[in-house]
Amino acid sequence: MARSHVAVAIGTAVVVSLIVSHLIVTLGFPQVDLRQWRLDPGSHDRQQTHFFNAKQNGEVAEDPSQYLIGVGKADITGPVVELNLMGYANTSQVGTGLRQRLYSRSFIIGNPGDTSERFVYMVLDTQSGDTAIRNGILEGLRNLGPEYSIYTPKNVAVTGTHSHAGPGAWLNYLLPQITSLGFDKQSYQAIVDGALLSIQRAHQGLTVGTVSSGSAKVSDANINRSLYAYLANPKAERDRYTDDVDKTMTLLKFTRASDGKNIGILNWFAVHGTSLLGNQTVVAADNKGVAAYLFEQDIAKNADGANAADGFVAGFSQANVGDTTPNVLGAWCEDGSNQECKLEDSTCGNKSQDCHGRGPYFGLNDGGVKSCYEIGKRQFEGAKGIYASSDFTAITGNVRSFHTFVDFANYTFTLPNGTVATTCPAALGNSFAAGTSDGPGAFDFVQNDPGAPSNPFWNVVGSAIAPPGEKQKKCQYPKPVLLNVGEAKVPYDWSPNIVDIQVLRVGQFIIIVSPGEATTMSGRRWREAVHNAALSKNIVPSATPPIVVLGGPANSYTHYIATEEEYSVQRYEGASTLYGPHTLNAYINSTLTLLPYLADDTTGTSPAGPTPPDNRERSISLITGVVYDGAGIGKQFGQVTKDVSASYTLGSQVEAIFVGANPRNNLRLEGTFTAVEKQGSDGAWVAIRNDEDWELVLEWKRTNGLTGTSDAKITWDTSISAPETGSYRLRYYGDSKAVGGRITPFNGTSGGFSLA
């Protein structure tokens, strides 16, 4: 996560704590009503064929390369206006509209002959996985009945693409709730229900098929934003790799046996979801959302040529993302000097605020929109190249999984060199407040600052939260403890101390499911340790060497995982490594301890471990709801107040403004707020674009708080997908809230226009 203005955000913590304490004393914990929303599964259902319900009952299958496979996709778009976006921790970044809907994509792999051998890997267009979200999904699966009882905490992985442009206020712990003014049940429920629907679609479409793996280098979609810290790793280790970030994309292809058609792909590639900058406020899924959209659209247009089935799903999962950035032109000073930022600490004139990463289309002043599309396109092209190649490895063998919780507040273990190490309660250091070149911080904080705090204001803030004792200071050394979040418990836990340890296996393919953002070298060490142990412990036969990937941030959000050497430098990633210098080794040790549960001859199940706190029902919310909407005197909802022109040339921006209503009244899940309609030769209008499409944008603006009036602007960028010439119009779908709470749907239509 790239923290922008995080110092200001956390500085409000003291004030928030006082308000919260007062609320608790006087009112108890507030209950937040679920805002009205609509789930219309029928509107976007994908055709599911070749159901394999007989195999759900454990019918024996003898071919070790045959699996039950299923893919599913569903809408998780939460409130797109009047809610802080999750990722930059920027209190001023409040949603004002929608560029592209967010989705959950689920992938199920199972043994046709044994229902206990199955897992589901989910890719959500969110900043991360989360304890609250995962608990909601698991509860929902239990409520679906016995058929879904095979999906448990052991085999459900909830990962996020790490987009920084989606609605926030859905996380379990207090720290990330501060900038969003708490927890919003509407935002939370949209994610949970959409994620469940994606699992249901994958489950209902289960079919016998094969899984195969391919990989390729994607050279131009990421660089290292924290090179100085990376260079602290041993030279001999660095010399083993050609790049200072992982450039390899690893991809799984799912092929059904009945007709040999592919039903989906799932890949892993490391690049931060920070192409869209902290100064833009329109919701989207960032570069991985673009990549998935382009792949699915490309398949839909050429299904026969791509040997693909209807309802093809493309998942672009995150990997060891910690020190990567999509801003591939590097970090430069925006102070007029046009110099590169200082390597050691990413400063300009000893300050971090003017140091900003530049995407491939820097200079357009569009909030990173075109750069985002380009980085997504590069990932799509990399995945398409793998998909089209013949160089795939067949996956064969059993399906296994484990999950446990481990308390990292005081986890003692033995390092490979024989010494005993211990982790610490979660804490954030000075350089956390400095942010990164993707999103600089504030005040006088800089990266690579291992010294003691010298800012009197922050000394007061840190003491008000939870002053660290000498034991904590010594354990976290050389990190100076700025925010002792692991020992802050009022009004509830600020950050997780209990972490998820999870690994999935299908044949020789092993997926490490990481709750934190592992840096490049951390991911390499973790993967290598699992690879070697899988061979030495005979978990994977030597005849089929293990293929190991790392996916995350997943299940919870535990910030960063830096190597011990990177931790000693205390740039942003090291300062955000919560559990002290031995954090990475603790994750590796916990993983390897449980790895035998992936073996073919394993018996029993991994221990559950300690239960993390569930703060969903006690989370504070200072987020106000929608009171009412007004159309204005003499106007109606959906009425056009600024119409389109009569004609446009291809490549133009087409826009119209309508009398609007608050999009929070109805999230229109599995539906749309916007549409482009084309007139056919018979005079009928057919929708050809909607909220799913990158080029169609809804921007909403409150024009008068007292009267409740607002504008809804729809913009269609015809330069992106080269639409056909013809006659078109724009349509807006909204829902207005009257005094008293009644919500009424409406729609509005622009005038017709020609495109030539």
Side-chain angles (χ1 to χ4, degrees):
M1 183 164 63
R3 293 277 179 181
S4 175
H5 304 294
V6 71
V8 175
I10 304 302
T12 64
V14 175
V15 176
V16 171
S17 295
L18 291 174
I19 295 172
V20 163
S21 299
H22 178 71
L23 286 171
I24 294 170
V25 170
T26 58
L27 301 174
F29 286 102
Q31 300 296 318
V32 184
D33 290 335
L34 175 63
R35 313 288 178 227
Q36 181 179 355
W37 62 286
R38 183 185 70 186
L39 179 62
D40 183 9
S43 63
H44 275 52
D45 272 348
R46 286 164 169 74
Q47 183 179 0
Q48 302 287 354
T49 60
H50 300 281
F51 284 13
F52 211 70
N53 293 332
K55 293 296 182 185
Q56 302 285 342
N57 298 321
E59 187 176 322
V60 177
E62 296 180 356
D63 188 344
S65 67
Q66 295 282 301
Y67 299 99
L68 273 185
I69 55 174
V71 299
K73 173 184 172 183
D75 192 348
I76 60 169
T77 311
V80 299
V81 303
E82 299 185 325
L83 194 68
N84 187 243
L85 303 189
M86 176 59 196
Y88 287 109
N90 182 349
T91 54
S92 65
Q93 191 187 25
V94 176
T96 59
L98 178 65
R99 177 176 296 278
Q100 184 184 40
R101 283 198 168 262
L102 313 182
Y103 294 95
S104 168
R105 294 172 171 90
S106 291
F107 301 83
I108 298 176
I109 303 176
N111 181 343
D114 188 347
T115 56
S116 69
E117 294 185 26
R118 190 178 300 185
F119 66 73
V120 54
Y121 187 93
M122 309 179 68
V123 182
L124 277 62
D125 289 332
T126 57
Q127 180 269 339
S128 65
D130 176 69
T131 300
I133 296 296
R134 189 168 188 266
N135 285 345
I137 292 170
L138 292 171
E139 288 174 1
L141 287 167
R142 289 194 293 270
N143 292 335
L144 288 174
E147 184 180 352
Y148 289 85
S149 63
I150 51 181
Y151 305 110
T152 71
K154 305 294 183 186
N155 62 10
V156 174
V158 185
T159 80
T161 59
H162 204 47
S163 166
H164 284 46
W170 41 263
L171 290 99
N172 188 60
Y173 294 93
L174 181 61
L175 180 64
Q177 294 178 2
I178 290 173
T179 50
S180 63
L181 299 180
F183 186 84
D184 184 71
K185 285 192 175 180
Q186 186 187 36
S187 183
Y188 159 83
Q189 202 68 51
I191 298 172
V192 169
D193 288 349
L196 277 169
L197 184 55
S198 72
I199 295 175
Q200 286 180 274
R201 287 173 172 165
H203 178 84
Q204 291 165 5
L206 282 170
T207 183
V208 170
T210 60
V211 180
S212 53
S213 175
S215 65
K217 186 173 182 178
V218 180
S219 61
D220 55 358
N222 64 355
I223 63 171
N224 197 309
R225 73 182 185 191
S226 200
L227 184 59
Y228 187 75
Y230 177 85
L231 293 173
N233 293 306
K235 183 177 185 301
E237 183 180 31
R238 290 185 278 112
D239 286 347
R240 295 170 54 200
Y241 304 97
T242 58
D243 297 290
D244 51 34
V245 290
D246 284 345
K247 299 285 188 179
T248 298
M249 175 183 286
T250 302
L251 181 147
L252 285 181
K253 180 168 63 176
F254 298 78
T255 307
R256 68 187 180 199
S258 61
D259 57 6
K261 289 190 175 182
N262 304 311
I263 63 172
I265 58 111
L266 171 61
N267 68 67
W268 290 263
F269 181 77
V271 60
H272 247 90
T274 49
S275 290
L276 294 172
L277 306 179
N279 62 356
Q280 76 84 39
T281 55
V282 178
V283 166
D286 214 272
N287 54 66
K288 286 194 179 292
V290 170
Y293 166 75
L294 290 176
F295 204 110
E296 291 169 353
Q297 291 289 309
D298 185 73
I299 290 291
K301 292 175 183 176
N302 185 34
D304 290 339
N307 191 35
D310 291 341
F312 187 98
V313 177
F316 282 71
S317 187
Q318 197 54 265
N320 45 328
V321 63
D323 51 1
T324 67
T325 177
N327 295 312
V328 293
L329 299 186
W332 295 78
C333 295
E334 306 295 341
D335 58 0
S337 67
N338 200 33
Q339 300 292 312
E340 287 191 87
C341 304
K342 189 177 177 182
L343 174 68
E344 292 83 356
D345 56 14
S346 296
T347 59
C348 302
N350 296 320
K351 292 187 176 296
S352 63
Q353 288 88 337
D354 292 325
C355 177
H356 293 270
R358 295 181 176 179
Y361 284 97
F362 167 78
L364 294 181
N365 195 29
D366 64 350
V369 169
K370 192 167 184 180
S371 289
C372 179
Y373 190 85
E374 178 63 25
I375 294 297
K377 182 181 177 184
R378 292 176 185 183
Q379 290 177 77
F380 152 66
E381 290 171 343
K384 185 178 179 182
I386 300 170
Y387 180 85
S389 76
S390 58
D391 190 14
F392 274 84
T393 299
I395 303 302
T396 179
N398 289 320
V399 179
R400 297 283 188 269
S401 62
F402 71 74
H403 176 279
T404 192
F405 291 111
V406 179
D407 191 348
F408 271 16
N410 184 19
Y411 179 65
T412 301
F413 62 101
T414 302
L415 293 169
N417 64 8
T419 61
V420 176
T422 304
T423 55
C424 331
L428 294 158
N430 284 6
S431 295
F432 165 77
T436 73
S437 54
D438 288 342
F443 294 108
D444 53 355
F445 291 98
V446 298
Q447 296 192 70
N448 187 17
D449 180 13
S454 58
N455 186 306
F457 171 76
W458 281 98
N459 289 339
V460 172
V461 171
S463 298
I465 293 171
E470 289 303 315
K471 181 180 179 181
Q472 173 74 323
K473 291 178 182 178
K474 183 178 179 180
C475 186
Q476 292 280 352
Y477 183 83
K479 178 202 293 176
V481 178
L482 176 68
L483 298 173
N484 191 28
V485 289
E487 295 181 319
K489 307 291 184 182
V490 179
Y492 44 91
D493 289 33
W494 284 55
S495 289
N497 284 322
I498 297 173
V499 306
D500 298 74
I501 303 295
Q502 186 176 37
V503 181
L504 312 174
R505 174 196 161 207
V506 50
Q508 72 270 40
F509 199 93
I510 299 175
I511 307 170
I512 302 168
V513 183
S514 172
E517 299 179 52
T519 61
T520 297
M521 195 62 82
S522 291
R524 288 168 175 171
R525 291 182 187 178
W526 201 348
R527 293 197 310 260
E528 184 174 39
V530 170
H531 177 278
N532 293 340
L535 285 176
S536 65
K537 297 180 180 181
N538 296 317
I539 291 167
V540 173
S542 58
T544 53
I547 303 167
V548 184
V549 297
L550 183 149
N555 296 332
S556 182
Y557 183 63
T558 61
H559 292 255
Y560 281 72
I561 306 170
T563 68
E564 189 171 349
E565 294 85 354
E566 293 162 353
Y567 187 91
S568 69
V569 174
Q570 281 296 293
R571 279 177 60 93
Y572 177 83
E573 294 80 14
S576 302
T577 296
L578 293 180
Y579 310 109
H582 302 299
T583 297
L584 171 61
N585 281 319
Y587 276 110
I588 293 175
N589 178 272
S590 299
T591 302
L592 298 187
T593 298
L594 296 172
L595 209 63
Y597 284 104
L598 299 183
D600 289 344
D601 58 356
T602 187
T603 57
T605 185
S606 56
T611 303
D614 185 344
N615 298 320
R616 287 175 294 171
E617 295 304 320
R618 55 178 175 172
S619 285
I620 297 299
S621 179
L622 303 179
I623 301 166
T624 58
V626 180
V627 180
Y628 61 88
D629 294 287
I633 298 174
K635 296 180 179 179
Q636 295 180 332
F637 292 109
Q639 180 179 333
V640 177
T641 58
K642 180 183 177 182
D643 210 346
V644 297
S645 300
S647 63
Y648 295 89
T649 58
L650 282 171
S652 299
Q653 300 264 347
V654 181
E655 72 172 47
I657 300 177
F658 301 82
V659 175
N662 199 309
R664 288 198 288 159
N665 293 329
N666 183 345
L667 302 182
R668 293 191 166 265
L669 288 164
E670 300 288 308
T672 191
F673 292 114
T674 64
V676 176
E677 297 179 341
K678 187 176 189 296
Q679 190 173 33
S681 57
D682 60 354
W685 294 91
V686 178
I688 61 155
R689 300 285 188 276
N690 56 37
D691 287 350
E692 185 178 13
D693 296 292
W694 179 262
E695 67 228 58
L696 191 59
V697 178
L698 169 72
E699 294 175 273
W700 180 86
K701 182 180 180 180
R702 174 71 71 194
T703 56
N704 189 306
L706 182 61
T707 61
T709 53
S710 62
D711 287 337
K713 182 170 76 171
I714 297 177
T715 304
W716 182 28
D717 184 350
T718 66
S719 69
I720 293 177
S721 62
E724 297 177 349
T725 59
S727 298
Y728 294 88
R729 67 185 186 186
L730 303 180
R731 186 181 287 273
Y732 165 51
Y733 296 93
D735 300 86
S736 62
K737 185 175 184 178
V739 176
R742 183 180 179 184
I743 293 176
T744 305
F746 64 86
N747 67 82
T749 306
S750 76
F753 60 91
S754 63
L755 190 63

